[in-house]
Structures are given as C-alpha cells and as structure tokens.
Amino acid sequence: MNLRDLKYLVALAEHRHFGRAAASSFVSQPTLSTQIRKLEEELGVTLVERAPRKVMLTPVGRDIVERARRVLADVDQMAEIARRSQDPDAGSIRLGMFPTLGPYLLPHVLPGLREKFPRLEMLLVEEKTDALLERLREGRLDAALLALPIHDDQLHVETLFEEPFLLAVPRQHALAKRSSLAIDDLDRIPLLLLEEGHCLRDQALDVCRLTGAGERDGFRATSLETLRQMVAAGVGLTLLPALSVQPPMPPSPDIALLPFEGESPHRTIAMVWRRSSAMASLLERIAGQLRELPPGLLLPPAES
C-alpha cells in the first residue's frame, strides 16, 4: 500500500467513474484500475462495485476512503509545516464561502488581504455549507467562512462579525412607506425563502419562528438574486443580508429596504479551520484582517 494508490482510490470515490478518475490523476484508465485491484487484493476486501456505467463504493470501501482522505490530508500537513517554516506568508490557501456571502463580502476584503499578504495565493471555493464542512474535514479546504453555529469539536472557530438582516419589500407595498420596523411587525407575514440546503434559508426560518412570520407557499428561490428579482417584481417580501445590498451591488428602484429597530435579526459569520491545521498561525492573522471591514458596511445603504 502506498500514497499513490490511496490517491487513486480517493479520486475514484470523488468521480465515481474510472475514466474520469484516471484523467484527474494523470494516468491511464487501465493503470488506475489495476492499482485499485491490487489495493483490494492487499486488503482482502472489495472496495468498489463495478457496474457497466457506474462505480459505487462498498460499505467497507466508504470507510477506507474516509481514512485514506485523512492520511493524505496529514501528509499534506507535513509538507505544509516544512514549507511554512521557511516562508509563512507564501504559498496558497483554499478558502471556502457559501453563496449568499462570498460575492458580497469579497469586493470589500480582497484588496486588504492582497495588501497584507502579497505572496499568498487565495483559491476561493463557493459551495453550500454542508459541502464546505465536508471538504474542510477531509482536508480539501484549509478554511471556510461560515455562519454559526458550527457543532464540531475538531474545528476551530474565529468569530468575525454579525451581519444584520433587512426586510426587502416591493415599493408599492404598504410597509415601503416606513423608515424602519419592529421585529413584531413581521407577525403572520409570509416571506419568500431560498430552497433547502442554503444556510440563509435556515437563518430566515429562525427569524420566522422568532417573529411569527411564515414562508410563502409555492415558491423557493435557487439564489439570493432570484429572491431580489421576485421582490422587485412585486411577488412578495424577503430578508436580505446587509452585505448583499451594499455597493458594488446596484440599488433597485423597485425595492425598499427596511432596517429593524433595536436588536436586529442577524447572522454571525466566522472563519473555521481544523484544529490540527499547520496553517493555524496564518489563518488567525487572515481572520484578523477579515474583521477589519470598512466603516458602515453593515449598516443600511444611504439610498434606503
């Protein structure tokens, strides 16, 4: 058993196809297939079910793939420790963000990160929260920006900031005449929400439970921008995170944005990484830089 064969097995688990796994590993399909069989013979178990058009992992195969990922991640960490001992701020970092945060936060923080860490290459990955956590645990991400809470003792959490929600209403709606509203004003109001899998949906549902608001039946958006367009079209109301309505996002003449009085409903954004990470010192400094948001960025835009 060697690291090369473990990499082949992990590639096969990710692609579920011998040809694509071989291509991603830069070897021929017969080579990868032969090495997987040799690994099965050495272990004395069947790792994959070979169907005509589909490859599936056996139960023991899934367990071994999980351990193989950990082994490969630990090997990467050893190389990272050695390299960063010579130049801690160089190299690359794989940073994950979820779709309702990344596009709206990055324009405000990337210039500062480039200035602070000029020799660091940032490889950004956008996925839903569950996928980011899986990649993080498997060592395929170095860190991720996520909304709390995160329940995993193996992960280190650095809180960055609290992002308030604003109520987005069509201009012709009665609430559009208000300059602000109390949290109780949402009682029995149906809100447009994202589809399952988005953490913003879960956060909005938490607000609904707190205020007595509900979900608009018959519609679930696939993206934050779809929600925005539905409000502009007069279909309904929704909650938007404060960053998503700041420049460079253009204001919509068809939408009124209402802040909440008192303690606003919000989500808490944190930077998360493995406690065992060899990059912990660098990641702490990156988290510190991410906390330095421009003044007023989390307040309602002036045109609202």
Side-chain angles (χ1 to χ4, degrees):
M1 189 185 306
N2 56 54
L3 294 177
R4 177 198 60 194
D5 294 342
L6 295 182
K7 290 179 180 179
Y8 291 165
L9 178 62
V10 169
L12 185 59
E14 291 175 356
H15 293 280
R16 303 299 175 99
H17 186 278
F18 277 96
R20 290 192 292 270
S24 71
S25 302
F26 304 102
V27 296
S28 68
Q29 181 172 332
T31 296
L32 184 137
S33 181
T34 298
Q35 293 306 124
I36 294 295
R37 286 198 179 277
K38 286 183 177 179
L39 185 58
E40 289 178 317
E41 291 171 2
E42 181 175 352
L43 294 172
V45 295
T46 299
L47 299 174
V48 295
E49 296 179 22
R50 296 163 173 83
R53 296 188 180 183
K54 187 177 182 181
V55 173
M56 296 177 289
L57 293 172
T58 63
V60 67
R62 288 193 293 270
D63 290 342
I64 289 177
V65 164
E66 183 178 345
R67 291 183 178 274
R69 285 187 171 124
R70 294 176 192 165
V71 170
L72 295 173
D74 284 343
V75 171
D76 287 343
Q77 289 294 301
M78 284 188 276
E80 189 66 24
I81 290 171
R83 195 196 62 71
R84 292 200 177 275
S85 68
Q86 302 175 25
D87 192 351
D89 291 355
S92 62
I93 174 176
R94 299 162 296 176
L95 181 63
M97 297 185 187
F98 53 92
T100 61
L101 175 69
Y104 313 108
L105 175 65
L106 290 175
H108 304 286
V109 299
L110 278 183
L113 287 171
R114 291 195 192 102
E115 182 178 355
K116 185 78 171 181
F117 306 98
R119 301 188 309 282
L120 184 66
E121 178 186 43
M122 301 201 71
L123 306 175
L124 302 173
V125 176
E126 186 178 86
E127 281 282 6
K128 294 179 181 178
T129 295
D130 288 346
L132 292 176
L133 284 169
E134 181 179 357
R135 291 190 182 201
L136 191 57
R137 292 171 182 131
E138 293 173 352
R140 292 186 286 159
L141 284 178
D142 298 308
L145 298 187
L146 300 171
L148 298 183
I150 299 295
H151 304 291
D152 191 326
D153 293 340
Q154 302 303 311
L155 298 178
H156 176 80
V157 175
E158 284 284 329
T159 301
L160 300 181
F161 55 86
E162 291 184 347
E163 182 182 16
F165 289 117
L166 303 171
L167 185 68
V169 306
R171 283 289 178 188
Q172 66 272 25
H173 195 279
L175 286 176
K177 300 176 183 179
R178 303 272 296 271
S179 60
S180 64
L181 68 160
I183 195 73
D184 293 341
D185 291 332
L186 290 183
D187 186 29
R188 300 184 182 180
I189 291 181
L191 298 178
L192 300 171
L193 301 182
L194 290 172
E195 64 183 1
E196 296 283 353
H198 287 275
C199 65
L200 182 58
R201 172 182 173 79
D202 297 331
Q203 295 149 11
L205 286 173
D206 286 341
V207 175
C208 290
R209 285 188 283 269
L210 177 66
T211 63
E215 179 178 5
R216 172 74 178 267
D217 291 335
F219 176 84
R220 289 185 181 179
T222 58
S223 72
L224 196 58
E225 294 314 305
T226 302
L227 280 182
R228 197 192 309 267
Q229 293 304 318
M230 291 299 97
V231 176
V235 174
L237 294 70
T238 196
L239 292 169
L240 292 179
L243 288 173
S244 72
V245 299
Q246 295 286 2
M249 295 303 300
S252 171
D254 300 315
I255 297 177
L257 298 170
L258 305 179
F260 289 88
E261 301 164 359
E263 185 175 353
S264 174
H266 61 271
R267 62 183 182 183
T268 302
I269 304 300
M271 186 166 165
V272 182
W273 60 85
R274 294 179 302 281
R275 293 186 182 277
S276 60
S277 174
M279 304 172 66
S281 177
L282 173 63
L283 295 174
E284 286 175 359
R285 289 189 290 130
I286 291 174
Q289 181 64 32
L290 289 172
R291 289 192 187 96
E292 301 297 322
L293 297 179
L297 186 61
L298 298 176
L299 297 176
E303 59 269 24
S304 296

